[in-house]
Amino acid sequence: MYSQLIDEGSYEESGRRPDVHQVKDLRRSGPGPYRFATICLATLCAILLISIIAVTAHYKSKPPPAAEATAEMQKENANVSALMASITKLQQENKQLQKEKEELQVNLTSIMTAKATEATCKPTRAPIVCPTNWHLFNDSCYLISKDRKSWSVSQLYCQRQGGHLAIILTAEEQTFLWDLLPRGHWNSYWFGITDGETEDEWKWVDDTLLVGGFWEENEPNNHINEDCGYIVKTQVMERVATKSWYDAPCSMVLPYICEKEMGGTTQ
Ligand SMILES: *[C@@H]1O[C@H](CO)[C@@H](O)[C@H](O)[C@H]1NC(C)=O
Ligand SMILES: *[C@@H]1O[C@H](CO)[C@@H](O)[C@H](O)[C@H]1NC(C)=O
Ligand SMILES: *[C@@H]1O[C@H](CO)[C@@H](O)[C@H](O)[C@H]1NC(C)=O
Ligand SMILES: [Ca+2]
Protein backbone atom coordinates (compact mmCIF):
# COMPACT_ATOMS: atom_id res chain seq x y z
CA MET A 1 0.00 0.00 0.00
CA TYR A 2 2.76 2.33 0.86
CA SER A 3 4.63 1.70 -2.40
CA GLN A 4 1.40 2.07 -4.38
CA LEU A 5 0.85 5.47 -2.79
CA ILE A 6 4.35 6.51 -3.62
CA ASP A 7 3.87 5.15 -7.12
CA GLU A 8 0.73 7.09 -7.73
CA GLY A 9 2.13 10.16 -6.11
CA SER A 10 5.24 10.16 -8.23
CA TYR A 11 3.20 9.41 -11.32
CA GLU A 12 0.80 12.25 -10.67
CA GLU A 13 3.58 14.64 -9.86
CA SER A 14 5.46 13.81 -13.02
CA GLY A 15 2.23 13.93 -15.00
CA ARG A 16 1.59 17.50 -14.04
CA ARG A 17 4.97 18.54 -15.20
CA PRO A 18 5.10 20.24 -18.60
CA ASP A 19 8.10 18.20 -19.73
CA VAL A 20 6.48 15.58 -21.96
CA HIS A 21 9.77 13.79 -22.72
CA GLN A 22 10.32 12.92 -19.16
CA VAL A 23 6.85 11.43 -18.82
CA LYS A 24 7.49 9.45 -21.91
CA ASP A 25 10.85 8.31 -20.47
CA LEU A 26 9.28 7.23 -17.27
CA ARG A 27 6.64 5.25 -19.09
CA ARG A 28 9.27 3.76 -21.34
CA SER A 29 11.43 2.56 -18.48
CA GLY A 30 8.47 0.39 -17.41
CA PRO A 31 7.92 -1.41 -14.19
CA GLY A 32 11.66 -2.37 -13.75
CA PRO A 33 13.21 0.92 -12.61
CA TYR A 34 9.97 1.96 -10.86
CA ARG A 35 10.07 -1.13 -8.86
CA PHE A 36 13.69 -0.56 -7.95
CA ALA A 37 12.98 3.00 -6.84
CA THR A 38 10.01 1.88 -4.84
CA ILE A 39 12.06 -0.79 -3.12
CA CYS A 40 14.77 1.72 -2.43
CA LEU A 41 12.34 4.17 -0.98
CA ALA A 42 10.65 1.52 1.07
CA THR A 43 13.98 0.31 2.37
CA LEU A 44 15.01 3.83 3.23
CA CYS A 45 11.71 4.37 4.96
CA ALA A 46 12.08 1.13 6.85
CA ILE A 47 15.59 2.04 7.88
CA LEU A 48 14.41 5.43 8.95
CA LEU A 49 11.55 3.93 10.89
CA ILE A 50 13.79 1.39 12.54
CA SER A 51 16.26 4.09 13.33
CA ILE A 52 13.55 6.20 14.92
CA ILE A 53 12.28 3.22 16.89
CA ALA A 54 15.77 2.27 17.88
CA VAL A 55 16.64 5.74 18.94
CA THR A 56 13.41 6.09 20.87
CA ALA A 57 13.92 2.69 22.45
CA HIS A 58 17.47 3.57 23.22
CA TYR A 59 16.43 6.77 24.99
CA LYS A 60 13.61 4.95 26.73
CA SER A 61 15.50 1.93 27.99
CA LYS A 62 18.74 3.72 28.69
CA PRO A 63 18.03 6.61 30.99
CA PRO A 64 21.63 7.60 31.09
CA PRO A 65 22.03 11.31 30.71
CA ALA A 66 18.71 12.49 32.08
CA ALA A 67 18.21 9.79 34.72
CA GLU A 68 21.80 9.89 35.86
CA ALA A 69 21.59 13.61 36.13
CA THR A 70 18.41 13.43 38.19
CA ALA A 71 19.96 10.78 40.44
CA GLU A 72 22.94 13.00 41.01
CA MET A 73 20.68 15.93 41.57
CA GLN A 74 18.73 13.92 44.09
CA LYS A 75 21.96 13.04 45.83
CA GLU A 76 22.98 16.65 45.84
CA ASN A 77 19.56 17.65 47.04
CA ALA A 78 19.91 15.14 49.85
CA ASN A 79 23.28 16.61 50.64
CA VAL A 80 21.84 20.10 50.55
CA SER A 81 18.99 19.21 52.86
CA ALA A 82 21.43 17.40 55.13
CA LEU A 83 23.55 20.52 55.17
CA MET A 84 20.51 22.66 55.83
CA ALA A 85 19.56 20.38 58.70
CA SER A 86 23.03 20.59 60.21
CA ILE A 87 22.99 24.38 59.74
CA THR A 88 19.66 24.56 61.56
CA LYS A 89 21.03 22.33 64.29
CA LEU A 90 24.14 24.49 64.61
CA GLN A 91 22.01 27.60 64.70
CA GLN A 92 19.96 26.11 67.53
CA GLU A 93 23.12 25.15 69.40
CA ASN A 94 24.45 28.64 68.82
CA LYS A 95 21.27 30.14 70.23
CA GLN A 96 21.51 27.89 73.29
CA LEU A 97 25.14 28.83 73.82
CA GLN A 98 24.31 32.51 73.43
CA LYS A 99 21.66 32.12 76.10
CA GLU A 100 24.09 30.38 78.45
CA LYS A 101 26.70 33.03 77.75
CA GLU A 102 24.28 35.80 78.62
CA GLU A 103 23.30 33.99 81.82
CA LEU A 104 26.93 33.54 82.77
CA GLN A 105 27.64 37.17 82.00
CA VAL A 106 24.78 38.20 84.29
CA ASN A 107 26.16 35.92 86.99
CA LEU A 108 29.65 37.26 86.46
CA THR A 109 28.54 40.89 86.71
CA SER A 110 26.59 40.13 89.88
CA ILE A 111 29.65 38.42 91.32
CA MET A 112 31.85 41.32 90.25
CA THR A 113 29.52 43.94 91.74
CA ALA A 114 29.28 41.90 94.92
CA LYS A 115 33.07 41.77 95.09
CA ALA A 116 33.30 45.47 94.27
CA THR A 117 30.86 46.46 97.01
CA GLU A 118 32.67 44.10 99.37
CA ALA A 119 35.92 45.78 98.45
CA THR A 120 34.55 49.30 98.80
CA CYS A 121 32.55 48.55 101.95
CA LYS A 122 35.22 46.67 103.87
CA PRO A 123 37.68 49.52 104.18
CA THR A 124 34.95 51.88 105.41
CA ARG A 125 33.78 49.28 107.94
CA ALA A 126 37.04 47.74 109.09
CA PRO A 127 39.10 50.65 110.30
CA ILE A 128 37.30 51.42 113.52
CA VAL A 129 40.21 52.81 115.41
CA CYS A 130 39.68 53.80 119.03
CA PRO A 131 41.46 56.81 120.54
CA THR A 132 44.52 56.10 122.68
CA ASN A 133 43.65 54.24 125.89
CA TRP A 134 40.18 53.37 124.59
CA HIS A 135 39.34 49.71 123.90
CA LEU A 136 37.30 48.32 121.01
CA PHE A 137 34.46 45.84 121.44
CA ASN A 138 31.49 45.29 119.13
CA ASP A 139 31.86 48.62 117.33
CA SER A 140 32.18 50.60 120.58
CA CYS A 141 35.22 52.10 122.23
CA TYR A 142 35.55 51.99 126.05
CA LEU A 143 37.69 54.05 128.38
CA ILE A 144 38.62 52.84 131.86
CA SER A 145 39.42 56.08 133.69
CA LYS A 146 42.48 56.63 135.86
CA ASP A 147 40.92 59.53 137.74
CA ARG A 148 37.90 59.72 140.02
CA LYS A 149 34.71 61.69 139.68
CA SER A 150 31.14 61.67 140.96
CA TRP A 151 28.68 59.75 138.83
CA SER A 152 27.18 62.90 137.20
CA VAL A 153 30.57 64.51 136.49
CA SER A 154 31.78 61.19 135.07
CA GLN A 155 28.79 61.16 132.71
CA LEU A 156 29.53 64.78 131.71
CA TYR A 157 33.16 63.88 131.02
CA CYS A 158 32.15 60.87 128.87
CA GLN A 159 29.72 63.09 126.94
CA ARG A 160 32.46 65.59 126.25
CA GLN A 161 34.45 62.69 124.73
CA GLY A 162 31.52 62.00 122.40
CA GLY A 163 30.15 59.14 124.50
CA HIS A 164 28.42 58.35 127.77
CA LEU A 165 28.88 56.17 130.83
CA ALA A 166 28.93 52.55 129.63
CA ILE A 167 25.63 50.88 128.83
CA ILE A 168 26.18 47.15 129.38
CA LEU A 169 23.55 44.99 127.68
CA THR A 170 25.15 41.55 127.23
CA ALA A 171 27.22 39.14 129.28
CA GLU A 172 29.88 39.33 126.56
CA GLU A 173 30.12 43.10 126.91
CA GLN A 174 30.17 42.80 130.71
CA THR A 175 32.91 40.18 130.58
CA PHE A 176 34.96 42.21 128.10
CA LEU A 177 34.94 45.21 130.48
CA TRP A 178 35.56 43.04 133.54
CA ASP A 179 38.69 41.64 131.88
CA LEU A 180 40.02 45.19 131.35
CA LEU A 181 39.67 46.07 135.04
CA PRO A 182 42.56 45.48 137.46
CA ARG A 183 41.99 43.54 140.64
CA GLY A 184 42.18 45.50 143.88
CA HIS A 185 40.87 45.66 147.40
CA TRP A 186 37.59 47.20 146.33
CA ASN A 187 38.24 48.47 142.82
CA SER A 188 35.10 50.31 141.77
CA TYR A 189 33.96 51.87 138.43
CA TRP A 190 30.87 53.89 137.64
CA PHE A 191 28.84 52.81 134.61
CA GLY A 192 25.74 54.30 133.01
CA ILE A 193 22.86 53.22 135.22
CA THR A 194 20.78 55.09 137.86
CA ASP A 195 17.48 54.93 139.72
CA GLY A 196 17.68 58.62 140.65
CA GLU A 197 14.33 59.48 139.06
CA THR A 198 12.21 56.74 140.54
CA GLU A 199 13.54 54.51 143.31
CA ASP A 200 14.18 50.98 142.16
CA GLU A 201 13.42 51.82 138.55
CA TRP A 202 16.87 51.46 137.02
CA LYS A 203 17.45 53.32 133.78
CA TRP A 204 20.37 53.57 131.42
CA VAL A 205 21.82 56.96 130.52
CA ASP A 206 20.04 56.74 127.16
CA ASP A 207 16.75 56.63 129.16
CA THR A 208 16.01 52.95 128.38
CA LEU A 209 14.90 50.69 131.22
CA LEU A 210 17.22 48.03 132.56
CA VAL A 211 16.35 44.47 131.66
CA GLY A 212 18.10 41.86 133.80
CA GLY A 213 21.54 43.10 134.71
CA PHE A 214 24.60 41.64 136.42
CA TRP A 215 23.96 42.55 140.05
CA GLU A 216 25.78 40.90 142.96
CA GLU A 217 23.57 38.84 145.30
CA ASN A 218 21.23 41.10 147.33
CA GLU A 219 22.05 44.13 145.17
CA PRO A 220 20.92 46.79 144.54
CA ASN A 221 19.89 47.43 148.17
CA ASN A 222 19.68 51.28 148.33
CA HIS A 223 21.50 50.88 151.61
CA ILE A 224 22.29 54.60 152.14
CA ASN A 225 20.18 56.13 149.37
CA GLU A 226 22.24 54.59 146.64
CA ASP A 227 21.03 55.61 143.20
CA CYS A 228 24.00 54.95 140.93
CA GLY A 229 25.44 51.68 139.66
CA TYR A 230 29.07 50.60 139.75
CA ILE A 231 31.16 47.52 139.10
CA VAL A 232 33.46 46.05 141.75
CA LYS A 233 36.42 43.79 141.01
CA THR A 234 38.21 42.54 144.16
CA GLN A 235 41.11 40.16 144.81
CA VAL A 236 38.62 37.37 145.46
CA MET A 237 38.92 35.09 142.47
CA GLU A 238 35.49 33.51 143.05
CA ARG A 239 33.78 36.78 142.17
CA VAL A 240 32.60 36.73 138.56
CA ALA A 241 31.88 39.38 135.94
CA THR A 242 28.18 38.60 135.71
CA LYS A 243 27.62 39.18 139.47
CA SER A 244 29.58 42.36 140.02
CA TRP A 245 27.12 45.30 140.11
CA TYR A 246 26.40 47.34 143.22
CA ASP A 247 24.59 50.58 144.00
CA ALA A 248 26.23 53.54 145.76
CA PRO A 249 25.52 57.22 146.51
CA CYS A 250 25.99 59.13 143.24
CA SER A 251 28.15 61.78 144.93
CA MET A 252 30.95 59.30 145.65
CA VAL A 253 34.07 59.88 143.60
CA LEU A 254 35.17 56.77 141.75
CA PRO A 255 36.87 55.75 138.54
CA TYR A 256 34.37 55.29 135.66
CA ILE A 257 33.87 53.55 132.34
CA CYS A 258 32.97 55.61 129.23
CA GLU A 259 31.55 54.13 126.05
CA LYS A 260 31.53 55.62 122.57
CA GLU A 261 29.61 53.93 119.71
CA MET A 262 31.75 53.95 116.58
CA GLY A 263 30.42 51.82 113.70
CA GLY A 264 26.66 51.67 113.97
CA THR A 265 25.90 52.94 110.48
CA THR A 266 27.15 50.91 107.55
CA GLN A 267 29.07 53.02 104.97
C1 LIG B 1 27.40 14.31 49.81
O1 LIG B 1 27.79 13.95 51.10
C2 LIG B 1 28.70 12.88 51.17
C3 LIG B 1 28.95 12.56 52.61
O2 LIG B 1 27.90 12.98 53.42
C4 LIG B 1 29.99 13.27 50.45
O3 LIG B 1 30.91 12.18 50.49
C5 LIG B 1 29.71 13.66 49.06
O4 LIG B 1 30.89 14.16 48.44
C6 LIG B 1 28.64 14.74 48.99
N1 LIG B 1 28.30 15.02 47.62
C7 LIG B 1 28.21 16.26 47.19
C8 LIG B 1 27.83 16.36 45.78
O5 LIG B 1 28.42 17.24 47.88
C1 LIG C 1 23.60 31.74 87.50
O1 LIG C 1 23.35 31.85 88.88
C2 LIG C 1 22.16 31.25 89.29
C3 LIG C 1 21.97 31.53 90.77
O2 LIG C 1 22.99 32.32 91.29
C4 LIG C 1 22.21 29.75 89.03
O3 LIG C 1 21.00 29.15 89.42
C5 LIG C 1 22.44 29.52 87.56
O4 LIG C 1 22.61 28.15 87.32
C6 LIG C 1 23.67 30.27 87.11
N1 LIG C 1 23.80 30.12 85.71
C7 LIG C 1 24.86 29.60 85.12
C8 LIG C 1 24.83 29.51 83.66
O5 LIG C 1 25.82 29.23 85.79
C1 LIG D 1 26.77 44.35 119.72
O1 LIG D 1 26.08 45.57 119.49
C2 LIG D 1 24.77 45.41 119.00
C3 LIG D 1 24.24 46.79 118.68
O2 LIG D 1 24.42 47.67 119.75
C4 LIG D 1 23.92 44.67 120.01
O3 LIG D 1 22.62 44.48 119.52
C5 LIG D 1 24.55 43.33 120.28
O4 LIG D 1 23.84 42.65 121.31
C6 LIG D 1 26.00 43.52 120.70
N1 LIG D 1 26.64 42.21 120.86
C7 LIG D 1 27.27 41.89 121.98
C8 LIG D 1 27.89 40.52 121.97
O5 LIG D 1 27.36 42.63 122.91
CA1 LIG E 1 18.55 53.42 144.63
Side-chain angles (χ1 to χ4, degrees):
M1 199 169 94
Y2 192 61
S3 55
Q4 252 184 343
L5 275 168
I6 288 170
D7 265 2
E8 277 168 37
S10 52
Y11 180 79
E12 265 177 47
E13 229 177 297
S14 346
R16 268 183 215 150
R17 287 190 183 178
D19 196 319
V20 184
H21 291 288
Q22 251 192 345
V23 176
K24 268 185 188 172
D25 278 349
L26 279 166
R27 278 193 180 160
R28 215 187 292 158
S29 59
Y34 261 122
R35 206 172 185 96
F36 179 70
T38 309
I39 286 163
C40 275
L41 271 172
T43 312
L44 277 171
C45 281
I47 287 165
L48 190 66
L49 196 67
I50 286 160
S51 295
I52 288 162
I53 288 163
V55 165
T56 313
H58 177 76
Y59 272 90
K60 263 192 185 168
S61 67
K62 259 202 184 171
E68 251 171 49
T70 45
E72 212 141 280
M73 261 168 74
Q74 275 175 346
K75 250 196 212 167
E76 267 172 38
N77 277 351
N79 269 21
V80 164
S81 43
L83 278 171
M84 294 300 272
S86 56
I87 284 166
T88 312
K89 207 178 152 196
L90 283 169
Q91 274 172 341
Q92 279 172 348
E93 280 175 1
N94 188 36
K95 238 187 193 173
Q96 183 65 32
L97 284 169
Q98 287 278 347
K99 230 171 148 188
E100 272 176 41
K101 186 189 148 199
E102 272 165 36
E103 213 178 310
L104 280 168
Q105 232 149 17
V106 167
N107 281 13
L108 183 66
T109 38
S110 67
I111 288 163
M112 293 296 269
T113 48
K115 275 235 171 120
T117 47
E118 207 178 291
T120 52
C121 281
K122 260 193 178 168
T124 59
R125 273 194 114 190
I128 292 174
V129 180
C130 291
T132 316
N133 296 325
W134 292 66
H135 306 271
L136 181 65
F137 174 79
N138 192 26
D139 293 357
S140 279
C141 293
Y142 300 85
L143 175 72
I144 314 295
S145 85
K146 297 271 193 271
D147 65 327
R148 299 160 176 264
K149 298 183 194 312
S150 70
W151 187 91
S152 316
V153 177
S154 300
Q155 169 63 357
L156 274 174
Y157 175 82
C158 293
Q159 285 176 323
R160 261 188 264 124
Q161 308 306 308
H164 49 78
L165 279 171
I167 296 171
I168 306 166
L169 299 176
T170 66
E172 289 83 358
E173 191 178 8
Q174 171 66 29
T175 303
F176 169 77
L177 293 173
W178 173 268
D179 290 342
L180 291 174
L181 304 177
R183 290 191 177 275
H185 171 64
W186 193 258
N187 275 359
S188 312
Y189 301 86
W190 291 126
F191 65 102
I193 203 164
T194 178
D195 73 339
E197 265 178 39
T198 309
E199 179 56 32
D200 219 23
E201 187 182 282
W202 291 90
K203 270 186 170 178
W204 293 108
V205 287
D206 65 357
D207 234 27
T208 55
L209 273 173
L210 169 68
V211 179
F214 304 104
W215 299 106
E216 174 60 281
E217 301 284 339
N218 308 312
E219 295 289 335
N221 56 19
N222 201 38
H223 186 55
I224 43 168
N225 192 26
E226 300 167 327
D227 291 346
C228 290
Y230 70 109
I231 295 171
V232 175
K233 188 168 179 183
T234 71
Q235 309 278 21
V236 181
M237 299 302 284
E238 285 71 32
R239 291 176 177 270
V240 291
T242 49
K243 282 188 173 183
S244 61
W245 293 2
Y246 294 78
D247 57 345
C250 297
S251 56
M252 272 176 64
V253 287
L254 295 176
Y256 47 90
I257 303 169
C258 294
E259 177 181 3
K260 196 153 67 151
E261 280 86 8
M262 302 297 284
T265 51
T266 341
Q267 280 180 359

